[in-house]
Each structure stands twice: as structure tokens, then as C-alpha cells.
Amino acid sequence: KGNYTQRKRGALQLAGNHALNVKGNGHLSGKLVINLKSRLTKNHVLMKFHTRSGKYKHVTITGQYSHYHVKYTSNSIVLVK
């Protein structure tokens, strides 16, 4: 429950096959590192918020499936090919 805020000097590391569900608002900046060790479903929701503002300044995707990229919507971050 609550909001998620990441400042410009912050960094978040996630395993790509997991999802972060924030019940409140997401305020994004800083760095996101995603480790993809397995194939994902089409348009895998990585993070979901009530509302989202901002974007990560740097996104790094590592692992066997590093050809994915992030797509931002008004309330989520989705991994797509």
C-alpha cells in the first residue's frame, strides 16, 4: 500500500519475471536495472501504479533476453520486444 517515489540518484533492480504492484502513485526518476533470465509473456507488466509520473533516466536490461525494452503508460511500465 502507499506510493512509490524514486529520486534521480536512486536505483531499482528487478528480476524481469516479477512484477511490482503499487496501490498508490508512482513517481519515477533515476535508474532501473532489469535482469531477464527467461522468456516473458507478450507485453509483460513490470510495474503497475494507480497513476504514474516521470520516467527512469536510465534503463538497463541484462540477461539472455536483453532485446526487450520498456514502454510507459499512464499507470504502468510494460516490457515489450
Side-chain angles (χ1 to χ4, degrees):
K1 291 185 177 183
N3 298 321
Y4 176 80
T5 299
Q6 184 170 324
R7 308 264 187 241
K8 65 182 178 181
R9 291 187 179 165
L12 176 64
Q13 294 185 359
L14 290 175
N17 58 339
H18 292 96
L20 179 64
N21 190 7
V22 177
K23 300 289 184 190
N25 302 319
H27 305 280
L28 308 177
S29 189
K31 184 176 182 177
L32 174 64
V33 178
I34 306 162
N35 187 1
L36 289 179
K37 292 184 178 179
S38 59
R39 186 181 307 267
L40 301 175
T41 60
K42 185 177 180 181
N43 295 330
H44 174 76
V45 176
L46 183 67
M47 300 175 79
K48 186 169 177 140
F49 314 95
H50 177 69
T51 59
R52 180 200 56 81
S53 64
K55 293 182 178 181
Y56 285 104
K57 302 298 180 201
H58 303 281
V59 176
T60 303
I61 300 176
T62 64
Q64 184 178 357
Y65 297 93
S66 60
H67 58 279
Y68 281 80
H69 65 276
V70 295
K71 176 182 172 186
Y72 294 91
T73 71
S74 62
N75 67 343
S76 68
I77 298 175
V78 180
L79 286 172
V80 296
K81 285 186 180 181

